Amino acid sequence: MKILQYKKNSLCALFVIFILSLCGSVAQNFKGVKNLTFPQDYKNGVLYTSITRGGVIEDIYAQEADILALQKEGKLPELATITMEEYANNNGTHGNLNRYIIMQKHGKQWRFEAFNADKSINVKENTTRCLNCHASAIEGEDIVFTLDSLKKFPLR
């Protein structure tokens, strides 16, 4: 009877180790996504909208293929990336470039990353604030404030 109990406990222990190893893999994959890389080719996409908000002007870019997928399928595809250039607003004209904000879709979740004007990562920026603002204001999978502009953007 003790041998049977020992085997049962060993199998349980192996199962727990297996589950914990899976959790470690998931955590590692999530950790790997935390810092997005700067999309050097973002200007190969389209400037689909420009927004003036108080002291800043935001020029927002997306890849044509992502816009087309949204227009055809009703949602942005995996790894869709939206790049925002934020400029100082000098009486309605673009002043100095302040920063970049990148948002990228991973599954049904979005990741945000802030970059300085020189395209180095801005480690001081709390991008959780960006995610929380978008997620609390917009329902659904694509928590993009300018989603309607993307849906209506005329492609060539």
Side-chain angles (χ1 to χ4, degrees):
M1 192 63 123
K2 283 189 175 186
I3 293 173
L4 186 59
Q5 184 65 32
Y6 177 75
K7 285 183 178 179
K8 185 177 177 184
N9 288 344
S10 296
L11 285 174
C12 286
L14 286 173
F15 180 74
V16 168
I17 290 169
F18 173 73
I19 294 299
L20 289 175
S21 70
L22 287 178
C23 292
S25 295
V26 169
Q28 184 177 9
N29 288 340
F30 179 76
K31 183 179 178 184
V33 172
K34 186 175 181 189
N35 291 329
L36 301 175
T37 58
F38 188 86
Q40 298 294 336
D41 65 342
Y42 78 96
K43 285 208 174 183
N44 291 340
V46 294
L47 171 62
Y48 71 89
T49 193
S50 187
I51 299 170
T52 301
R53 287 191 312 143
V56 299
I57 298 173
E58 300 169 341
D59 288 347
I60 308 176
Y61 294 80
Q63 295 302 310
E64 198 168 305
D66 294 340
I67 297 171
L68 185 60
L70 173 66
Q71 291 174 351
K72 285 186 174 184
E73 299 165 23
K75 63 181 182 176
L76 287 163
E78 176 71 8
L79 299 178
T81 303
I82 296 173
T83 304
M84 181 189 75
E85 299 173 333
E86 181 189 277
Y87 294 90
N89 180 356
N90 289 342
N91 297 317
T93 62
H94 289 71
N96 290 333
L97 177 64
N98 295 330
R99 65 181 178 160
Y100 299 90
I101 300 289
I102 310 302
M103 61 185 295
Q104 189 175 71
K105 187 175 184 179
H106 292 264
K108 293 184 179 185
Q109 302 296 315
W110 286 86
R111 306 281 183 260
F112 290 77
E113 199 67 68
F115 293 87
N116 298 306
D118 66 0
K119 300 179 183 171
S120 64
I121 195 163
N122 182 342
V123 294
K124 295 179 183 177
E125 184 78 36
N126 178 6
T127 55
T128 301
R129 184 176 55 93
C130 301
L131 176 61
N132 291 340
C133 181
H134 281 248
S136 67
I138 304 168
E139 288 186 23
E141 184 174 318
D142 291 324
I143 54 170
V144 178
F145 285 118
T146 56
L147 196 62
D148 285 340
S149 295
L150 282 168
K151 287 178 180 177
K152 296 174 186 171
F153 188 81
L155 296 172
R156 303 173 246 183

